[in-house]
Amino acid sequence: MERTPTPTGPEGPQRALLVGLERSGGPTGGWTAEESLAELALLAETAGAEVVGTVIQRRPRPDPATFIGEGKAREIEARRQVEGFDLVIFDDELTPTQQRNLESIIGCAIIDRPTLILDIFATRARTREAQLQVELAQLQYRLPRLAGQGVDLSRLGGGIGTRGPGETKLEVDRRRIRERIAKLQEELEAIREHRQRLRRERERTLTPVVALTGYTNAGKSTLHRVLAGSDVLAEDKLFATLDATARRVEPPAGGTPYLLVDTVGFIHKLPHQLVAAFRSTLEEVVAADLILHVVDLSHRKWPEQMATVTRVLRELGAQDHPQIVVFNKIDRPEVSPAEVARVLRQYPGSVAISARTGAGLEDLAAAIQERLASRYRVVEVVVPYDRSQWVAYIHHHGRVLAEEHRPEGTFLRAELPGDHAGRVLAALGGPAAESRTR
């Protein structure tokens, strides 16, 4: 599917003013308005805009009609007359009414943070699955905003916030939009079922899955390339990777082979439509045996970025999965050895690395092998002949090491993932072998 190039006017990229709201009571989620706008500026530049300035409105709560208040909106309109910017990007989600009122007052295109993130995703989607997921998220977000936007969309002229596979369908009626959403959901459900079949096959072969997760631009794709020798795109850009790329890793020291999955990065104020649309991709994290939470230690807001990722993992139901925190980019000059030592003490079991230089990768490889080794248990049970369904269960979920038919039933010695081993022992009893797998 052909992608719309970065929008430019006669004099270059779209010129954007960024607007944030600072509520009474201080920072939200550890982020000040200034810090959140700094990240919004990176997002805007990633989308191809030229940021001309920022505005912060301080209010106890958002104004229901214009988010920032009519007076502040008219100040921005007067500033536009002087500076000539053609796009205003708000750092929070706007209601359809707020967006229409703001465009009426300011007289130029108005978009919000979710729209900007969706636009970036639209330009980065490469595989069919990612394109379907992005289109679904865009349409679900834009559907309630269609009323009265025909003129506004025409004025936007294909700029930031209108790109992606869904842009040509935005001016059709709601019924056809809903039909398209239903079709996309059907196609994505088929992809989800295919992923589930692949996961079941991996379970049968006892191939553990290690999923990389973390804030966008934390270095996940670079680490994937280093560990798996993959060709995953690794760029110093926000959301460089959207697709769940899986590669088999064969440890050189003869440890447990595993499947390493690279996934989409998270971000502060991530649109919930994206989390829903990327469900099949994010299920790779939920189904993983081990999660590597990659953190950019050189970023001054890394604790807040960690909290954002932890919150999304909790929403996905993966907060209790085995996890190794991987502090990356320790080669950066802003990261001191004292800081590295401090965070390793603060987060027991974590590892500090530089995916770019290779520092600490041996420690990470050892930590992965140690966690994977505890994933399996060797069990010995006798299955009574009238409970033969457990023989099938063990064959399906584990690897049978020995099988013998005895008068009292079928004796099995098998290697099983820990949760399945627990179910077998609870149902049948019998000692668990002391040895760990591999």
Side-chain angles (χ1 to χ4, degrees), residues 80-337:
R80 185 188 67 81
Q81 296 288 347
V82 175
E83 299 181 18
F85 50 82
D86 53 359
L87 177 65
V88 178
I89 306 176
F90 281 73
D91 194 34
D92 291 272
E93 181 173 343
L94 300 174
T95 67
T97 297
Q98 289 168 340
Q99 183 175 356
R100 288 194 293 271
N101 290 341
L102 287 165
E103 289 194 338
S104 176
I105 294 171
I106 299 175
C108 72
I110 305 291
I111 66 172
D112 56 14
R113 186 184 182 104
T115 301
L116 179 62
I117 292 174
L118 288 168
D119 183 89
I120 295 171
F121 271 58
T123 63
R124 295 291 169 85
R126 294 292 178 265
T127 67
R128 176 62 177 165
E129 180 182 10
Q131 291 166 0
L132 291 173
Q133 289 169 324
V134 172
E135 182 177 3
L136 175 61
Q138 286 181 317
L139 292 180
Q140 288 176 327
Y141 188 73
R142 292 172 180 173
L143 179 60
R145 292 163 169 77
L146 290 177
Q149 279 198 346
V151 175
D152 300 331
L153 288 167
S154 298
R155 183 169 68 247
L156 288 176
I160 294 172
T162 68
R163 296 179 292 194
E167 73 256 28
T168 60
K169 307 182 189 308
L170 292 177
E171 293 166 305
V172 304
D173 64 348
R174 290 177 179 272
R175 180 182 60 82
R176 292 183 60 191
I177 292 290
R178 290 193 179 99
E179 288 175 353
R180 179 61 181 162
I181 287 175
K183 176 64 174 175
L184 289 170
Q185 289 173 330
E186 183 180 313
E187 290 189 54
L188 285 171
E189 183 60 28
I191 293 174
R192 180 170 178 257
E193 291 175 358
H194 176 66
R195 283 188 181 276
Q196 288 176 335
R197 287 194 296 270
L198 292 177
R199 281 195 288 268
R200 286 193 294 269
E201 179 61 30
R202 292 200 296 260
E203 286 180 2
R204 281 195 292 270
T205 60
L206 293 184
T207 303
V209 176
V210 178
L212 291 164
T213 191
Y215 210 80
T216 182
N217 207 33
K220 299 182 302 299
S221 296
T222 300
L223 183 57
H224 193 280
R225 291 174 68 97
V226 172
L227 292 178
S230 67
D231 55 357
V232 173
L233 178 66
E235 294 183 289
D236 188 18
K237 292 182 179 179
L238 301 180
F239 302 117
T241 302
L242 295 189
D243 306 300
T245 304
R247 293 289 186 274
R248 185 177 174 87
V249 177
E250 298 282 353
T256 302
Y258 59 91
L259 206 62
L260 185 64
V261 181
D262 189 18
T263 61
V264 62
F266 302 131
I267 196 167
H268 179 50
K269 301 179 183 177
L270 183 71
H272 66 85
Q273 290 87 354
L274 272 177
V275 176
F278 276 70
R279 181 182 60 161
S280 65
T281 299
L282 294 175
E283 280 180 351
E284 294 292 344
V285 177
V286 178
D289 301 288
L290 176 63
I291 295 173
L292 302 185
H293 181 171
V294 184
V295 179
D296 177 2
L297 192 57
S298 69
H299 197 287
R300 62 190 182 91
K301 299 296 291 184
W302 68 261
E304 287 78 11
Q305 292 184 346
M306 270 191 77
T308 295
V309 175
T310 300
R311 185 167 56 253
V312 177
L313 291 176
R314 189 181 305 115
E315 292 173 4
L316 294 171
Q319 71 275 12
D320 295 326
H321 278 42
Q323 183 179 135
I324 298 174
V325 178
V326 182
F327 290 103
N328 190 25
K329 304 187 182 182
I330 61 172
D331 59 302
R332 297 288 180 89
E334 53 267 41
V335 180
S336 68

